[in-house]
Amino acid sequence: MALPFTLRQLEIFDAVVRTGSLSAAARDLHTAQSSVSSAIDELEKQVGQRLLVRRKAQGAWPTAAGRQLHREAGIVLHAAQEAGRILQERDGQLRGPLTIGVYQTLAPYVLPLLLGDFAEEHPLVELSFVEVQHAELMAGLTSGAIDVGFTYLHEVPPEVDHQPILERPPYVLMPADHPLADRPSVTLADLTAEKIILLGDAPSKANTLRDLNTTEDDERIAWVTTSLPLTRALVGKGLGVAILVQPDASPWTVDGHPVVEVPLHVEDGNVFVHIAWLKPQARRRPPRRITEMVTFAEANFAPHIARIDEERRRRKTSDIA
């Protein structure tokens, strides 16, 4: 059975729907508007249906049949692009774009590793990134705007695949002169009278509230921030303590106050960092760029975080000496 369209026709049709007009599609594809118009005319003739409503000075928009074709065209074009990259990668080199989405508080730990070491291993992969909140990250993965994401495990939609790459125990960040600072660990009972600096949104906030076995209405919560450096600075100023899992190589806040990390003894308090990606179509595998990123994260992320922990211990020992 002969196909009722060519890939070029689908590419042009997709451009018209995306840009909203034949002239804009022509500019996007670096071709003549007459070529765009002819391709759309031929496509409609071949499929036997009107696909676009075209109005001078008003642009173009898809009919019901056009919307359906556009959804399927996206899958076909994506598959064709991936097939081309597979042929190009026969020399062993990964190629193509890869957009990384990172939950905001994880970005300083994830992105230098990926934009440095992963990019050095795979120089032909075109990396880009966005720092987002968890809900935006999941939406980006689902829509295809983000190829691979890094976040804490929290409300993952069924169409998104994921796996853990790091497990972190919680600790209490407190000023270095706090009465509990010399303890080997603390419990929830030790924090009953403490003011809390809450790092949120979800999932950081949810993890902290779970560890504290409390809610946002808790009177101990003095301040809520969305910035890890600000959270540390408020703690260093003596305005409260914070429940965190993020490592920091420095025992000092950005404004020069010494802080300490005291392990929090709480049942089932460990937090998991996950790498996530959109599940492929049935019987397909994710693009090799994604599978290589997953393999890289599994092998390198935990040792990377361990080095940060070790650097903090070294600096603390050096300060004491």
Side-chain angles (χ1 to χ4, degrees):
M1 175 181 173
L3 292 176
F5 46 70
T6 65
L7 285 177
R8 181 57 175 172
Q9 288 172 336
L10 289 185
E11 183 181 32
I12 291 173
F13 176 68
D14 172 70
V16 174
V17 175
R18 284 190 294 103
T19 62
S21 73
L22 274 66
S23 58
R27 290 192 298 271
D28 186 67
L29 297 173
H30 305 288
T31 190
Q33 183 173 337
S34 59
S35 297
V36 172
S37 180
S38 296
I40 296 299
D41 289 342
E42 185 62 24
L43 178 60
E44 290 182 327
K45 179 181 177 181
Q46 290 174 201
V47 301
Q49 295 193 61
R50 188 182 187 190
L51 300 173
L52 290 173
V53 178
R54 291 178 262 181
R55 295 284 187 270
K56 285 187 178 180
Q58 295 183 31
W61 56 94
T63 62
R67 287 192 297 271
Q68 182 176 2
L69 177 61
H70 187 246
R71 287 193 295 270
E72 300 301 324
I75 298 173
V76 172
L77 291 171
H78 179 74
Q81 290 168 347
E82 289 302 319
R85 291 190 186 107
I86 288 172
L87 291 176
Q88 291 177 330
E89 289 171 359
R90 294 179 69 183
D91 62 0
Q93 293 277 2
L94 291 184
R95 287 175 170 82
L98 188 67
T99 299
I100 306 163
V102 188
Y103 178 60
Q104 291 169 328
T105 63
L106 285 173
Y109 311 102
V110 172
L111 290 175
L113 184 65
L114 301 184
L115 301 181
D117 296 3
F118 182 84
E120 186 175 349
E121 287 186 18
H122 305 289
L124 299 182
V125 176
E126 304 154 25
L127 293 177
S128 61
F129 70 86
V130 290
E131 300 172 71
V132 291
Q133 296 180 349
H134 180 81
E136 295 172 308
L137 175 56
M138 293 299 111
L141 288 169
T142 302
S143 69
I146 294 173
D147 296 306
V148 63
F150 293 82
T151 187
Y152 299 110
L153 183 60
H154 180 76
E155 295 183 358
V156 178
E159 59 267 34
V160 171
D161 226 337
H162 58 91
Q163 64 186 56
I165 56 173
L166 181 72
E167 180 180 3
R168 291 285 294 179
Y171 64 84
V172 182
L173 186 73
M174 59 183 68
D177 59 358
H178 193 283
L180 300 175
D182 292 330
R183 295 272 196 93
S185 66
V186 294
T187 66
L188 293 181
D190 296 320
L191 305 180
T192 302
E194 298 293 334
K195 291 293 186 182
I196 304 295
I197 310 298
L198 183 61
L199 176 64
D201 64 335
S204 292
K205 182 189 295 185
N207 290 333
T208 300
L209 294 175
R210 182 201 64 196
D211 288 343
L212 288 171
N213 193 26
T214 190
T215 68
E216 292 183 64
D217 298 327
D218 194 318
E219 294 182 353
R220 291 177 296 170
I221 298 175
W223 302 99
V224 179
T225 83
T226 58
S227 162
L228 183 55
L230 176 57
T231 299
R232 289 173 52 83
L234 294 179
V235 169
K237 189 65 175 176
L239 300 178
V241 301
I243 313 299
L244 301 172
V245 296
Q246 298 88 348
D248 199 296
S250 175
W252 300 83
T253 64
V254 292
D255 56 347
H257 291 94
V259 290
V260 298
E261 299 174 358
V262 181
L264 175 62
H265 182 70
V266 58
E267 188 175 354
D268 297 325
N270 286 8
V271 171
F272 293 85
V273 176
H274 279 236
I275 184 172
W277 62 95
L278 183 64
K279 291 179 181 178
Q281 298 292 320
R283 297 186 300 279
R284 289 183 178 271
R285 297 183 60 194
R288 186 167 160 238
R289 299 184 303 284
I290 292 179
T291 59
E292 289 292 334
M293 175 67 78
V294 172
T295 300
F296 179 89
E298 287 181 312
N300 292 278
F301 191 61
H304 173 63
I305 298 300
R307 284 192 292 271
I308 297 175
D309 288 332
E310 179 58 33
E311 177 62 18
R312 181 186 178 87
R313 286 190 290 268
R314 187 193 67 78
R315 290 189 180 189
K316 182 178 180 181
T317 302
S318 176
D319 288 344
I320 293 174

